[in-house]
Amino acid sequence: MSHEIRTAPAPDPAHARVVVIGAGIVGCALADELTARGWAHVTVVEQGPLPAPGGSSSHAPGLVFRTNASRTMTAFAAYTVDTLRGLSVDGKPCFRAVGGLEVATTPERWADLHRKVGLAAAWGVRGELLTAHRCRALWPPLDGEMVLGGFHTPDDGLADAVLASRALQARAQARGARFLARHTVTDIEREDGRVTAVVTDRGSFPADAVVSAAGFWGPVIGRMAGVSVPLLPLAHQYATTAPLAGLTARAAAALPILRHQDRDLYFRAHTDADGARLGIGSYAHRPLPVDPFAVPAYDEAPVMPSSLAFTPQDFAPSWADATALLPELAYSSVAHGFNGVFSFTPDGMPLLGESRELRGFWLAEAVWVTHSAGAARAVAEWMTDGRPSLDVHACDVRRFEDVQLTPPYIEERSARSFVEVYDVVHPLQPMERPRPLRTSPFHVRQRELGAYFLEGGGWERPHWYETNAPLVDGLHIPVRDAWSARYWSPIAAAEAKATRERVALYDMTPLRRLEVTGRGALAFLQRMTTNQLEKKPGSVTYTLLLDGAGGIRSDLTVARLAPDRFQVGANSPADLDWLLAHAPDSVTVRDITSGTCCVGVWGPLARELVQPLTRDDFSHTAFGYFRARETVVGNVPVTALRLSYVGELGWELYTSADLGLRLWDTLWEAGQRLDVVAAGRSAFESLRLEKGYRAWGRDMTAEHTPYEAGLGFAVRPGKGEFMGRAALGDPAAVKRRLTCLTLDSRSAVVLGSEPVLVDGVPAGYVTSAAYGYTIGRCVAYAWLPVLAPGTPVHVEYFGEKVPATVAEEPLFDPRMAHLLR
């Protein structure tokens, strides 16, 4: 890729013409948010009638559980609750805070609810664990013998999506927005890479910005715009019972929404003139994909486009499971059921943001009612302010690699997302298929060494190597609990030790590499990043990409290989888009990741391994830290960067993909006399946290400034103007910091996302954590108020308050003796 997405800037937002496609709850919320920010020229077009146009919002059961493994999704849901509970239509509330209850019927689920109550505390959601007796007091129909306990969130509840859409539409209309029902989109017009109009069967609407909030029709709209919309519509079963004799309308209205995730079920109460019924939703059935291009129009659908015929055979096992949990259902039956269509993505997250293929074309897709107003606010802020106030990188439509946008991948992974909706999913647990997709040139050797692979960005990433198992003998490694022992091996400790004491080879190929060239390359990168890049060729600089508000969009490693040629180590596909969108005509930005590979050679014996293989001088004097050189290792031309993400002497060695295996074999053979090992990501995580190195997307995001993240050393305000410079403020004025913690017990381990308690009160959350094998205890980084080293805190892990202490960083080699030898 080079210049394709570079276009003229968007028009003045105050006069921008916005067309939103879709008047479900997301489209209505977006119109409300945009008009609240002064965008009066907003038109919402909808193919169906209003207020219930026949998409997913029209049939949604409206359960709002806020607690999610994703902090962002929890925040979206919390904002949705705050927005909807203040709205009513004709005296009817749009949201009722009846509370939420998740019950456990297995020890695994009960343990997971202990983890979930920690997530709730970390993200600011009120909730508590209940005994089986208290669960039954909240939900009398429950089988008290079957339930082990539950997780209660009193502020969750039921949203009426159709009523909420009406209320949001009315507010937006009062500020000037237009809502046009019965307007079917037939085309998206574009010119010079930018959207210009939306064409419908009842006329064309000029547009400076278009937002697809079309729900499961998103791929249809995307095809018109020439934009990939990676979602799969799937049918989900929902049934309502006949009136229940033992349940009064008053009692039903007080029932919390209920989840029985051990059987992929949820329940809510319905009341009508005939009495009280239960609604039952099931994710237990086989995936039922729906072709969005074959969904009938509103007037041709038997009920509505999103409501398909019920398939009783798929629901039969769920009915049996529901009856086991709620025995009174044995005296009832399914009175009505349907298979409702809604959207799933390959990773289960929404699709938000501006398309990389067409400027001015935005997505607000794969958003459920639970997260609707929150997601709409994020997109509105993005459009009006240039950035959301909340970190949304995990929802950014540009997060996917090209291989993840193929139809077979989208279909298989999205179907799996449906299957796993209520599964207990470990944070490291990868999808099993389709794999492998992306492999480094070293993959064949890694398999020979017994690599245990996990996946990230489509890449197969070794986490440890079974051939290193004998190195574990004699090491004292604390026994782990069952959860933290998943996707982990004590071999990681041996690999970390070998890196600290000898030398190890790390496959760094999955790290994104960009090439920036042209006569304006230096000036461009100076303007886009925070550190001083005006150095001689052969220099390497750690720097940051900021947004206009001073938030960290990404961190980069920039090697100046020639006056007008730079190699940039980046993080995500969004980094490429960001640079392309801002690059002048004199600069070419190109992703070179797939055509190249990288081996990290790290450890105190790294120089002894590499120096005999090259004619160039690799001494510290001749090849200093943060320097780059194009050289030859064995018979392989390489770009060598003297960097280390593990805190040891060494180099990142880059070459073309076709020569990668030869490079690995050359290093491996030469390293045998030094007892070289191949080492994986598990050891890598331990080593980098001991050294205090941050990981963008986990330890810091656009919500954080460099000074808060402890990265002020990478900011050079004196170099001149750069993106975000004016918003940075006083480094001494920060009120929160990314803080290093060590757990007091040498056997305790946490994994990330746990709440951190200061004086017994939740005050922040863990970002990254790993056992530090060199220092002999677990290291955790957390966002906390400014605390002095030595301050005692607690990290809540599965309900246990684990003592920890604020530590001075870096924990390992503060004098840099290991790096600078």
Side-chain angles (χ1 to χ4, degrees), residues 227-440:
V227 169
S228 176
V229 180
L231 68 80
L232 177 70
L234 287 154
H236 160 61
Q237 291 199 297
Y238 190 77
T240 51
T241 68
L244 299 174
L247 186 65
T248 66
R250 183 174 181 180
L255 288 176
I257 50 179
L258 175 68
R259 290 205 281 195
H260 179 24
Q261 292 174 297
D262 286 321
R263 289 295 181 267
D264 296 312
L265 293 170
Y266 62 81
F267 305 84
R268 60 153 294 183
H270 293 275
T271 58
D272 54 33
D274 296 326
R277 310 168 185 264
L278 288 185
I280 307 170
S282 172
Y283 294 100
H285 55 83
R286 62 193 168 94
L288 299 168
V290 175
D291 181 358
F293 295 88
V295 174
Y298 187 92
D299 294 323
E300 297 169 0
V303 180
M304 64 175 109
S306 65
S307 181
L308 306 183
F310 192 59
T311 50
Q313 69 276 15
D314 290 311
F315 195 72
S318 293
W319 179 255
D321 290 333
T323 302
L325 183 71
L326 308 171
E328 290 181 25
L329 289 181
Y331 305 102
S332 185
S333 61
V334 173
H336 173 71
F338 68 98
N339 290 1
V341 184
F342 64 147
S343 303
F344 280 82
T345 61
D347 58 6
M349 297 293 281
L351 305 173
L352 308 180
E354 190 175 14
S355 158
R356 65 162 57 117
E357 297 101 328
L358 181 63
R359 287 306 184 199
F361 185 82
W362 293 74
L363 297 181
E365 298 288 14
V367 180
W368 297 359
V369 172
T370 301
H371 310 106
S372 54
R377 176 180 67 164
V379 174
E381 289 174 336
W382 214 337
M383 296 175 71
T384 58
D385 303 332
R387 69 185 294 269
S389 58
L390 186 70
D391 166 49
V392 296
H393 80 272
C395 306
D396 192 330
V397 68
R398 296 164 296 184
R399 67 190 181 269
F400 295 105
E401 305 288 343
D402 289 343
V403 71
Q404 297 172 314
L405 296 174
T406 62
Y409 183 95
I410 293 168
E411 291 161 11
E412 186 159 10
R413 288 292 176 97
S414 299
R416 189 65 198 169
S417 293
F418 176 91
V419 171
E420 293 183 349
V421 162
Y422 281 172
D423 285 0
V424 177
V425 178
H426 193 276
L428 292 176
Q429 182 175 327
M431 292 279 194
E432 294 302 321
R433 297 178 58 194
R435 288 177 62 190
L437 282 176
R438 308 177 81 184
T439 59
S440 79

Side-chain angles (χ1 to χ4, degrees), residues 461-778:
R461 301 185 180 204
H463 274 241
W464 65 82
Y465 294 85
E466 290 295 334
T467 52
N468 293 326
L471 302 178
V472 177
D473 294 345
L475 297 183
H476 175 68
I477 304 169
V479 176
R480 291 202 175 204
D481 65 279
W483 183 253
S484 67
R486 292 190 193 181
Y487 306 103
W488 172 85
S489 168
I491 295 171
E495 293 175 359
K497 187 173 188 290
T499 307
R500 290 278 187 241
E501 296 180 354
R502 301 193 304 278
V503 63
L505 305 184
Y506 287 82
D507 182 0
M508 305 304 290
T509 301
L511 298 183
R512 183 168 304 279
R513 291 171 292 286
L514 310 178
E515 183 182 70
V516 181
T517 58
R519 57 182 172 80
L522 174 61
F524 167 62
L525 289 172
Q526 282 280 77
R527 187 176 74 251
M528 296 301 296
T529 70
T530 60
N531 213 335
Q532 177 59 263
L533 302 182
E534 194 168 355
K535 303 172 184 177
K536 293 179 180 179
S539 65
V540 181
T541 306
Y542 177 79
T543 187
L544 306 172
L545 284 178
L546 305 184
D547 60 25
I552 305 171
R553 282 190 56 94
S554 189
D555 63 341
L556 309 176
T557 302
V558 179
R560 191 177 191 186
L561 302 179
D564 296 330
R565 180 164 63 92
F566 296 81
Q567 179 175 302
V568 177
N571 286 293
S572 78
D575 294 345
L576 174 64
D577 286 357
W578 180 255
L579 293 175
L580 283 171
H582 291 86
D585 291 338
S586 60
V587 174
T588 298
V589 183
R590 191 166 64 95
D591 191 329
I592 61 172
T593 308
S594 60
T596 56
C597 60
C598 177
V599 183
V601 185
W602 291 317
L605 303 183
R607 185 175 287 114
E608 291 185 42
L609 194 161
V610 177
Q611 183 62 81
L613 301 175
T614 179
R615 298 182 181 182
D616 285 326
D617 187 353
F618 270 54
S619 68
H620 179 63
T621 303
F623 198 159
Y625 191 51
F626 268 85
R627 299 294 297 170
R629 175 179 295 171
E630 292 179 309
T631 183
V632 175
V633 171
N635 293 312
V636 181
V638 302
T639 300
L641 274 57
R642 188 166 168 202
L643 301 175
S644 173
Y645 206 49
V646 299
E648 293 291 342
L649 169 69
W651 288 266
E652 293 178 358
L653 302 178
Y654 296 88
T655 192
S656 56
D658 59 326
L659 292 171
L661 188 57
R662 181 61 181 265
L663 176 61
W664 179 279
D665 287 346
T666 299
L667 294 166
W668 185 256
E669 181 179 349
Q672 293 309 299
R673 63 184 177 85
L674 304 171
D675 292 330
V676 69
V677 302
R681 297 285 300 185
S682 189
F684 179 89
E685 279 291 297
S686 171
L687 298 169
R688 71 105 178 162
L689 285 172
E690 288 182 330
K691 189 60 179 170
Y693 292 147
R694 278 68 166 141
W696 184 85
R698 283 191 286 165
D699 298 319
M700 72 279 193
T701 69
E703 289 188 34
H704 310 111
T705 71
Y707 303 135
E708 293 172 329
L711 298 175
F713 67 88
V715 179
R716 294 288 183 270
K719 76 168 185 175
E721 197 57 45
F722 58 82
M723 179 78 74
R725 177 177 179 266
L728 284 177
D730 182 0
V734 301
K735 292 182 168 39
R736 60 176 178 175
R737 282 203 181 116
L738 184 62
T739 304
C740 180
L741 308 176
T742 55
L743 303 194
D744 293 354
S745 168
R746 291 188 175 272
S747 60
V749 174
V750 299
L751 299 181
S753 298
E754 296 88 359
V756 180
L757 285 64
V758 178
D759 296 328
V761 178
Y765 59 92
V766 174
T767 59
S768 295
Y771 197 86
Y773 301 108
T774 312
I775 67 167
R777 63 186 69 240
C778 187

Side-chain angles (χ1 to χ4, degrees), residues 21 184-190 195 197-201 203-205 210 220-221 223-226:
I21 301 172
T184 299
V185 176
T186 59
D187 195 15
I188 305 294
E189 293 185 347
R190 49 200 191 269
V195 70
V198 173
V199 181
T200 76
D201 59 353
S204 181
F205 298 87
V210 173
V220 178
I221 302 300
R223 180 176 293 183
M224 295 178 193

